PDB file of all heavy atoms in Angstrom:
ATOM      1  N   PHE A 320       0.038  23.504   7.559  1.00  0.00           N
ATOM      2  CA  PHE A 320      -1.272  23.421   8.194  1.00  0.00           C
ATOM      3  C   PHE A 320      -1.808  24.819   8.435  1.00  0.00           C
ATOM      4  O   PHE A 320      -1.058  25.783   8.522  1.00  0.00           O
ATOM      5  CB  PHE A 320      -1.169  22.639   9.507  1.00  0.00           C
ATOM      6  CG  PHE A 320      -2.486  22.077   9.965  1.00  0.00           C
ATOM      7  CD1 PHE A 320      -3.217  21.238   9.154  1.00  0.00           C
ATOM      8  CD2 PHE A 320      -2.986  22.393  11.206  1.00  0.00           C
ATOM      9  CE1 PHE A 320      -4.423  20.715   9.576  1.00  0.00           C
ATOM     10  CE2 PHE A 320      -4.195  21.881  11.644  1.00  0.00           C
ATOM     11  CZ  PHE A 320      -4.907  21.034  10.813  1.00  0.00           C
ATOM     12  N   ALA A 321      -3.116  24.923   8.541  1.00  0.00           N
ATOM     13  CA  ALA A 321      -3.776  26.225   8.466  1.00  0.00           C
ATOM     14  C   ALA A 321      -3.419  27.144   9.621  1.00  0.00           C
ATOM     15  O   ALA A 321      -3.389  26.741  10.772  1.00  0.00           O
ATOM     16  CB  ALA A 321      -5.280  26.019   8.431  1.00  0.00           C
ATOM     17  N   PHE A 329     -10.991  29.798   4.633  1.00  0.00           N
ATOM     18  CA  PHE A 329     -11.618  28.611   4.059  1.00  0.00           C
ATOM     19  C   PHE A 329     -13.020  28.395   4.637  1.00  0.00           C
ATOM     20  O   PHE A 329     -13.924  27.968   3.928  1.00  0.00           O
ATOM     21  CB  PHE A 329     -10.737  27.388   4.296  1.00  0.00           C
ATOM     22  CG  PHE A 329      -9.649  27.237   3.266  1.00  0.00           C
ATOM     23  CD1 PHE A 329      -8.356  27.637   3.550  1.00  0.00           C
ATOM     24  CD2 PHE A 329      -9.936  26.722   2.027  1.00  0.00           C
ATOM     25  CE1 PHE A 329      -7.348  27.510   2.607  1.00  0.00           C
ATOM     26  CE2 PHE A 329      -8.942  26.584   1.061  1.00  0.00           C
ATOM     27  CZ  PHE A 329      -7.634  26.981   1.355  1.00  0.00           C
ATOM     28  N   THR A 520      -7.323  24.838  14.478  1.00  0.00           N
ATOM     29  CA  THR A 520      -6.191  24.480  13.627  1.00  0.00           C
ATOM     30  C   THR A 520      -4.980  25.272  14.088  1.00  0.00           C
ATOM     31  O   THR A 520      -5.065  26.457  14.388  1.00  0.00           O
ATOM     32  CB  THR A 520      -6.472  24.803  12.155  1.00  0.00           C
ATOM     33  OG1 THR A 520      -6.780  26.196  12.024  1.00  0.00           O
ATOM     34  CG2 THR A 520      -7.652  23.985  11.639  1.00  0.00           C
ATOM     35  N   ALA A 556      -7.428  19.954  15.811  1.00  0.00           N
ATOM     36  CA  ALA A 556      -8.000  19.053  14.817  1.00  0.00           C
ATOM     37  C   ALA A 556      -7.361  17.673  14.837  1.00  0.00           C
ATOM     38  O   ALA A 556      -8.002  16.686  14.479  1.00  0.00           O
ATOM     39  CB  ALA A 556      -7.858  19.680  13.423  1.00  0.00           C
ATOM     40  N   ALA A 628      -5.046  16.040   0.750  1.00  0.00           N
ATOM     41  CA  ALA A 628      -5.632  16.841   1.838  1.00  0.00           C
ATOM     42  C   ALA A 628      -5.776  15.991   3.091  1.00  0.00           C
ATOM     43  O   ALA A 628      -6.224  14.847   3.044  1.00  0.00           O
ATOM     44  CB  ALA A 628      -6.988  17.385   1.412  1.00  0.00           C
ATOM     45  N   GLU A 629      -5.387  16.560   4.221  1.00  0.00           N
ATOM     46  CA  GLU A 629      -5.479  15.838   5.490  1.00  0.00           C
ATOM     47  C   GLU A 629      -6.909  15.884   6.013  1.00  0.00           C
ATOM     48  O   GLU A 629      -7.558  16.926   5.990  1.00  0.00           O
ATOM     49  CB  GLU A 629      -4.526  16.462   6.507  1.00  0.00           C
ATOM     50  CG  GLU A 629      -3.063  16.301   6.131  1.00  0.00           C
ATOM     51  CD  GLU A 629      -2.152  17.124   7.007  1.00  0.00           C
ATOM     52  OE1 GLU A 629      -2.539  18.242   7.388  1.00  0.00           O
ATOM     53  OE2 GLU A 629      -1.041  16.650   7.307  1.00  0.00           O
ATOM     54  N   MET A 630      -7.386  14.753   6.504  1.00  0.00           N
ATOM     55  CA  MET A 630      -8.752  14.681   6.993  1.00  0.00           C
ATOM     56  C   MET A 630      -8.957  15.611   8.188  1.00  0.00           C
ATOM     57  O   MET A 630     -10.045  16.166   8.362  1.00  0.00           O
ATOM     58  CB  MET A 630      -9.111  13.246   7.363  1.00  0.00           C
ATOM     59  CG  MET A 630      -9.153  12.288   6.179  1.00  0.00           C
ATOM     60  SD  MET A 630     -10.193  12.867   4.806  1.00  0.00           S
ATOM     61  CE  MET A 630     -11.774  13.083   5.632  1.00  0.00           C
ATOM     62  N   ALA A 631      -7.938  15.780   9.014  1.00  0.00           N
ATOM     63  CA  ALA A 631      -8.061  16.687  10.157  1.00  0.00           C
ATOM     64  C   ALA A 631      -8.335  18.110   9.681  1.00  0.00           C
ATOM     65  O   ALA A 631      -9.184  18.819  10.231  1.00  0.00           O
ATOM     66  CB  ALA A 631      -6.793  16.637  11.013  1.00  0.00           C
ATOM     67  N   TRP A 632      -7.601  18.531   8.643  1.00  0.00           N
ATOM     68  CA  TRP A 632      -7.797  19.883   8.099  1.00  0.00           C
ATOM     69  C   TRP A 632      -9.182  20.003   7.467  1.00  0.00           C
ATOM     70  O   TRP A 632      -9.868  21.012   7.658  1.00  0.00           O
ATOM     71  CB  TRP A 632      -6.715  20.185   7.072  1.00  0.00           C
ATOM     72  CG  TRP A 632      -6.830  21.573   6.502  1.00  0.00           C
ATOM     73  CD1 TRP A 632      -6.308  22.724   7.017  1.00  0.00           C
ATOM     74  CD2 TRP A 632      -7.550  21.952   5.313  1.00  0.00           C
ATOM     75  NE1 TRP A 632      -6.655  23.792   6.231  1.00  0.00           N
ATOM     76  CE2 TRP A 632      -7.408  23.351   5.187  1.00  0.00           C
ATOM     77  CE3 TRP A 632      -8.283  21.244   4.370  1.00  0.00           C
ATOM     78  CZ2 TRP A 632      -7.972  24.059   4.127  1.00  0.00           C
ATOM     79  CZ3 TRP A 632      -8.860  21.945   3.321  1.00  0.00           C
ATOM     80  CH2 TRP A 632      -8.698  23.333   3.205  1.00  0.00           C
ATOM     81  N   LEU A 633      -9.586  18.993   6.709  1.00  0.00           N
ATOM     82  CA  LEU A 633     -10.909  19.035   6.093  1.00  0.00           C
ATOM     83  C   LEU A 633     -12.000  19.135   7.156  1.00  0.00           C
ATOM     84  O   LEU A 633     -12.981  19.871   6.997  1.00  0.00           O
ATOM     85  CB  LEU A 633     -11.136  17.786   5.235  1.00  0.00           C
ATOM     86  CG  LEU A 633     -10.299  17.681   3.954  1.00  0.00           C
ATOM     87  CD1 LEU A 633     -10.476  16.309   3.310  1.00  0.00           C
ATOM     88  CD2 LEU A 633     -10.677  18.779   2.968  1.00  0.00           C
ATOM     89  N   GLY A 634     -11.837  18.407   8.263  1.00  0.00           N
ATOM     90  CA  GLY A 634     -12.831  18.444   9.328  1.00  0.00           C
ATOM     91  C   GLY A 634     -12.926  19.790  10.005  1.00  0.00           C
ATOM     92  O   GLY A 634     -13.998  20.178  10.495  1.00  0.00           O
ATOM     93  N   ALA A 635     -11.817  20.525  10.043  1.00  0.00           N
ATOM     94  CA  ALA A 635     -11.802  21.825  10.709  1.00  0.00           C
ATOM     95  C   ALA A 635     -12.172  22.972   9.785  1.00  0.00           C
ATOM     96  O   ALA A 635     -12.707  23.987  10.240  1.00  0.00           O
ATOM     97  CB  ALA A 635     -10.415  22.086  11.318  1.00  0.00           C
ATOM     98  N   CYS A 636     -11.912  22.824   8.485  1.00  0.00           N
ATOM     99  CA  CYS A 636     -12.071  23.957   7.567  1.00  0.00           C
ATOM    100  C   CYS A 636     -13.110  23.765   6.479  1.00  0.00           C
ATOM    101  O   CYS A 636     -13.646  24.753   5.965  1.00  0.00           O
ATOM    102  CB  CYS A 636     -10.719  24.264   6.903  1.00  0.00           C
ATOM    103  SG  CYS A 636      -9.421  24.766   8.035  1.00  0.00           S
ATOM    104  N   MET A 637     -13.413  22.515   6.104  1.00  0.00           N
ATOM    105  CA  MET A 637     -14.290  22.275   4.962  1.00  0.00           C
ATOM    106  C   MET A 637     -15.549  21.494   5.319  1.00  0.00           C
ATOM    107  O   MET A 637     -16.289  21.068   4.430  1.00  0.00           O
ATOM    108  CB  MET A 637     -13.527  21.514   3.862  1.00  0.00           C
ATOM    109  CG  MET A 637     -12.377  22.300   3.260  1.00  0.00           C
ATOM    110  SD  MET A 637     -12.927  23.638   2.174  1.00  0.00           S
ATOM    111  CE  MET A 637     -13.485  22.702   0.752  1.00  0.00           C
TER     112      MET A 637
END
Side-chain angles (χ1 to χ4, degrees):
F320 201 57
F329 276 100
T520 57
E629 294 170 324
M630 294 308 303
W632 182 86
L633 291 172
C636 297
M637 295 287 287

